[in-house]
Each structure stands twice: as C-alpha cells, then as structure tokens.
Amino acid sequence: MTVMDLIYWKDTERTGMILTGLVVGLLSLFQLSVITVLSTVSLAVMCFTISVRIYYQVLYILNWGDGEHPFKSYLDLDISFSGEEADRYMQKAIVMALSAVDSLKGLFFVGNLLESIKLLVLMYLVTYLGDLCNGLTLLIISVIAVFSLPLFYQKRQEQVDIFIAKIQAHIDNVKDTFHRLSHGGGPPPDPTPGGAKPKTQ
C-alpha cells in the first residue's frame, strides 16, 4: 500500500488506524514531552509485537500453526537505496535547498518590490495566526487536512474547480492592481495587437 492509497482511503481500516494514531500522538504532545510520547509509543508497540510473536510461537509448538513469522512481510520490506538513488535524492535535496535560499534572498533583499510586499503582508497575517494557535495545532490541522481534502476534492472536483477559479480571478485582479501601482498607477495595457487604438469618428 502506497501513501496515496492511505490518503484516498483505499483501505479504510488501515487509514483510520494511522490517522487516529497520528492525531492522538500529536494531541498528547500538548501535555507530555516529545521524549515521553516517543518512549511510551515505542513501549506499546514493542509489547504488542513481542506478545504476538510469542503467541505465534506457542501455536507452532502446539502444532496449531505453520510457524511463519507474523511480521515477515514487514521484515522483508526493502527500504534500502542504491548508491545511485542516494546520490540522486541528495542532489535533488541540495538543488531544492539552494533554490529556496535564492528565492528568500530575493524576497528579503527586495529583488522584486511586488513579491517582497506580498511576503510582508503574508508575514503580517501569520502574526495574527500565531496569536490564535501554535505550531502543534497547525500540524494537527494539516494532518487531518491531508487525510480529508484530497478525498473531498475527488468527490466534489467540479464544484471545487469553479470556486477556485473565482478566487483566482479575484487574486489576479488584486495582483494587476498592485502591478499597475508599482509602475506608476497607469491604466491597464491595451489588449489590441500592437497597442493600436481604434479611430473615433
């Protein structure tokens, strides 16, 4: 099962277990430290896996089972990378990091006035968001959104596309207004080819 199968609830039981575990684990961080949560979760998982392993071994001793390891599919799962794959992923990570640094450099040192103003407004709005909730709350909301929004979009794609198109049109209008203000507040460019104006009688 891939991550996309989990996000789109192809296996309802497994997706529900993973989502519940993630949300409960994140909620517990409000009261407990990260070390406490990780150690407690690890302890619970180990108690479960050891109990199941002993149970299967007892069944095999009593000739009630085939003796197959209960977690064989997980043990045989190949999660290793070849040298070429590791180099490729590392190169992608480096390129993405350098691209992000270059973009931030242009924003903070005002390489483009309009883009820097947009970042300024965004950071100003984020300060209000920080007063309403903390990063952990946003992380919980993000986890729930990852497991709900893709499925919602899949079932309501046409309505969502229409709504997004309307929002995008408003955003384009605002961007066009800012763009014209940053260039002296002139009228919008002439849409006719070559900028030719029709002659008035």
Side-chain angles (χ1 to χ4, degrees):
M1 175 169 287
T2 63
V3 176
M4 298 305 297
D5 292 334
L6 293 174
I7 291 176
Y8 284 99
W9 295 78
K10 297 296 180 62
D11 188 336
T12 306
E13 182 179 352
R14 183 173 295 185
T15 301
M17 291 176 59
I18 292 176
L19 177 59
T20 303
L22 287 174
V23 173
V24 171
L26 292 173
L27 286 174
S28 62
L29 291 176
F30 281 110
Q31 301 295 331
L32 304 172
S33 66
V34 176
I35 296 176
T36 302
V37 172
L38 290 178
S39 59
T40 303
V41 171
S42 300
L43 180 62
V45 171
M46 288 297 297
C47 289
F48 172 75
T49 54
I50 291 174
S51 299
V52 172
R53 183 71 176 92
I54 293 175
Y55 174 72
Y56 272 73
Q57 191 67 27
V58 171
L59 291 180
Y60 176 69
I61 293 174
L62 297 176
N63 294 324
W64 292 349
D66 55 6
E68 185 177 0
H69 199 292
F71 305 109
K72 187 176 185 300
S73 60
Y74 296 101
L75 293 173
D76 294 339
L77 185 64
D78 186 14
I79 58 174
S80 60
F81 291 111
S82 65
E84 294 180 356
E85 290 177 332
D87 290 339
R88 185 168 65 253
Y89 286 125
M90 182 62 67
Q91 290 175 0
K92 288 182 178 180
I94 293 174
V95 170
M96 291 176 62
L98 292 178
S99 177
V101 171
D102 186 63
S103 299
L104 291 175
K105 179 184 66 175
L107 291 171
F108 281 100
F109 294 104
V110 200
N112 185 301
L113 180 60
L114 180 60
E115 296 298 325
S116 297
I117 291 175
K118 288 193 290 186
L119 178 64
L120 177 66
V121 174
L122 177 62
M123 292 298 101
Y124 180 73
L125 296 176
V126 169
T127 59
Y128 284 97
L129 184 62
D131 292 335
L132 296 175
C133 56
N134 57 25
L136 187 56
T137 303
L138 293 178
L139 184 58
I140 294 174
I141 294 174
S142 300
V143 170
I144 296 175
V146 166
F147 282 90
S148 58
L149 292 183
L151 185 62
F152 176 80
Y153 177 74
Q154 187 181 51
K155 294 183 178 298
R156 305 283 183 179
Q157 182 173 357
E158 184 177 352
Q159 296 91 328
V160 173
D161 287 342
I162 294 174
F163 180 73
I164 292 177
K166 292 180 179 179
I167 295 178
Q168 186 63 44
H170 289 295
I171 293 175
D172 290 339
N173 289 334
V174 173
K175 289 173 63 177
D176 181 64
T177 301
F178 276 111
H179 181 74
R180 286 188 285 111
L181 289 174
S182 64
H183 287 77
D190 183 16
T192 58
K197 299 287 185 180
K199 294 182 180 180
T200 57
Q201 300 295 335

